[in-house]
Amino acid sequence: MSSAPDSPAIVRNVRLSTSASSEAVDISIEKGVISAVTPARADATDGYDGRGLLALPGLVNAHAHIDKSWWGLPWQSYGGEGTTEGRIRHERAHRDEIGMPSARITGNVLEQLVAHGTTAIRTHVDVDLGLDLRGIDAVREAVAAYGDALTVQIVAFPQDGVLRRPGVLALLDRAARDGVEHIGGLDPATIDRDPVGQVDALLALSAEHGVALDIHLHDPAELGAFQIELILDGVERYGLQQRVNISHGFAVAQLDPSRRRDLLARMGALGVTMTTVAPLRLPQLPLHELDAAGVAFGFGTDGIRDLWSPYGTGDLLGIAWQYARASSVVRDDDLRRVVEIATGGSAPFVGLPVNRLEVGDRADIVLVDAENSMDALVRTPRREAVIGNGRLLVG
């Protein structure tokens, strides 16, 4: 679909995954926004022909690492130790050999994400003493090639630690001043070995600069829960309600039910959100319990084909499938809910309003050959067309 930016366009003859009706509709788009949804015209020839395909809101990748990958490069053999600390060391030792980070590498990753229907991304970008902020520059350069068709927000991510590397806090401060939307953190107890210090320092920066905080937390069970409680205490102290996300948060799924219920209730009350990459061999975040507590959560692809692991395709719908299958999600309402989380329901993770493919919503649309949203989830069919902010990116 190509048209002047101010001209209306139409995606015709599609079925809405967000509607109870199976009747085909035409979606009119003006200035990147859905301006009308009307019954499909049988004799229409204008616009983009959706051929009766199912229309999903654009997929939202709420936890990515688009700055580091070897997608499009020669095969990189797995190396290093199988621990978080070991993988950090291995990556630091070998990233320069493959030219990581760079706009080229990020561009390769973006191409894969878009091909699989992603139109909005929250990406963690490494910031450390060896890289300074050049990873952020590389990501911004690659994203700029898409103009306003993609929504991408950056987390300045201290993968190598915060307090244990003097100077990293200053880099995060610079990144916040330079316009990143989020700063990040990593396992305050096991990486920095100073959970109180790291959490307080990051929350203070967040409060000072008005940026959000998205913190990786891999630590299990009670150790992880203790750090979540430190974060919640800080959210209250600094007034950061609705501005903090916990990535991974394996501990939440490992607590006993009553302990988890109390922790989730407090998270929900403070607007603390979660993101998951639906890791294999670990308990999944509990869908019904998070929804009941009002804890919003989103899906992410994590790193794909990076120096941590050769796995990953960039298919966010595949991550949603993995979560649903591992969580034994089988009922229609729950399957639909998982699709909602993978698509427009997670738009707030990238600073956008919820997208239901209604009038006034951003024209982020993915077309698939599926009977309904449940069928799309369990089969993860090929993305036939991807439209970002009214611009045809695939199809």
Side-chain angles (χ1 to χ4, degrees):
M1 178 174 54
S2 59
S3 60
D6 295 332
S7 299
I10 293 176
V11 180
R12 56 185 171 83
N13 189 24
V14 297
R15 294 171 295 109
L16 296 180
S17 63
T18 52
S19 171
S21 171
S22 60
E23 297 299 318
V25 299
D26 295 339
I27 302 175
S28 298
I29 301 169
E30 189 168 1
K31 296 182 179 179
V33 175
I34 296 175
S35 58
V37 179
T38 55
R41 298 161 297 155
D43 57 349
T45 59
D46 56 332
Y48 183 86
D49 183 6
R51 310 189 315 278
L53 295 169
L54 185 74
L56 301 167
L59 299 172
V60 178
N61 192 334
H63 184 103
H65 292 267
I66 66 175
D67 59 320
K68 47 186 186 181
S69 173
W70 45 270
W71 198 285
L73 303 179
W75 182 268
Q76 301 294 312
S77 298
Y78 178 85
E81 305 167 30
T83 64
T84 299
E85 183 65 56
R87 305 312 306 146
I88 291 171
R89 285 197 299 269
H90 178 72
E91 182 179 72
R92 293 296 174 269
H94 296 283
R95 63 188 178 188
D96 289 344
E97 297 172 6
I98 60 174
M100 184 178 78
S102 70
R104 176 193 173 198
I105 281 176
T106 295
N108 290 342
V109 177
L110 285 174
E111 184 178 14
Q112 293 303 312
L113 298 182
V114 170
H116 287 98
T118 292
T119 57
I121 305 162
R122 178 188 291 190
T123 183
H124 299 258
V125 180
D126 282 9
V127 167
D128 62 43
L129 302 179
L131 291 174
D132 199 73
L133 303 183
R134 63 186 176 92
I136 293 174
D137 294 337
V139 166
R140 286 174 170 161
E141 180 182 345
V143 169
Y146 287 85
D148 60 0
L150 291 184
T151 300
V152 179
Q153 291 197 342
I154 291 174
V155 183
F157 178 48
Q159 175 76 85
D160 199 25
V162 181
L163 301 182
R164 73 175 184 171
R165 305 297 188 205
V168 169
L169 272 176
L171 287 176
L172 295 177
D173 181 271
R174 280 177 50 204
R177 294 176 187 275
D178 194 39
V180 299
E181 293 84 4
H182 315 259
I183 57 172
L186 173 69
D187 295 334
T190 51
I191 295 297
D192 274 350
R193 297 186 180 277
D194 184 357
V196 174
Q198 187 192 123
V199 168
D200 190 68
L202 293 175
L203 289 168
L205 272 181
S206 176
E208 178 182 356
H209 295 296
V211 297
L213 173 64
D214 191 327
I215 185 165
H216 282 55
L217 187 57
H218 305 93
D219 292 333
E222 282 300 330
L223 178 58
F226 162 68
Q227 292 169 88
I228 293 174
E229 289 172 334
L230 287 178
I231 293 167
L232 299 179
D233 291 345
V235 168
E236 290 183 323
R237 185 166 64 253
Y238 286 102
L240 294 174
Q241 291 84 348
Q242 315 296 328
R243 286 165 55 187
V244 173
N245 182 73
I246 295 171
S247 293
H248 304 307
F250 304 146
V252 169
Q254 296 166 338
L255 298 173
D256 70 72
S258 62
R259 177 89 165 90
R260 181 168 59 243
R261 182 184 61 248
D262 292 344
L263 188 65
L264 289 177
R266 191 176 177 207
M267 291 173 65
L270 293 172
V272 173
T273 59
M274 299 193 74
T275 49
T276 180
V277 299
L280 297 172
R281 301 184 305 279
L282 286 173
Q284 302 299 316
L285 296 180
L287 174 66
H288 294 154
E289 293 179 49
L290 268 72
D291 278 352
V295 178
F297 78 108
F299 298 125
T301 57
D302 212 6
I304 62 172
R305 281 207 169 192
D306 58 19
L307 294 174
W308 289 55
S309 167
Y311 289 99
T313 65
D315 188 356
L316 195 279
L317 191 60
I319 296 295
W321 177 95
Q322 186 169 295
Y323 172 84
R325 185 67 187 272
S327 302
S328 299
V329 171
V330 293
R331 297 186 182 279
D332 286 0
D333 286 349
D334 294 337
L335 293 168
R336 280 191 290 263
R337 175 65 179 134
V338 170
V339 174
E340 180 184 29
I341 293 168
T343 60
S346 287
F349 278 94
V350 291
L352 297 173
V354 170
N355 186 347
R356 299 185 178 90
L357 298 183
E358 297 175 348
V359 173
D361 288 346
R362 181 179 160 102
D364 290 341
I365 306 167
V366 179
L367 302 185
V368 294
D369 185 4
E371 180 181 353
N372 50 43
S373 62
M374 299 88 76
D375 182 39
L377 176 63
V378 300
R379 286 197 301 109
T380 61
R382 185 171 75 94
R383 310 312 109 91
E384 302 289 339
V386 181
I387 296 165
N389 198 33
R391 175 180 160 194
L392 184 67
L393 301 175
V394 175

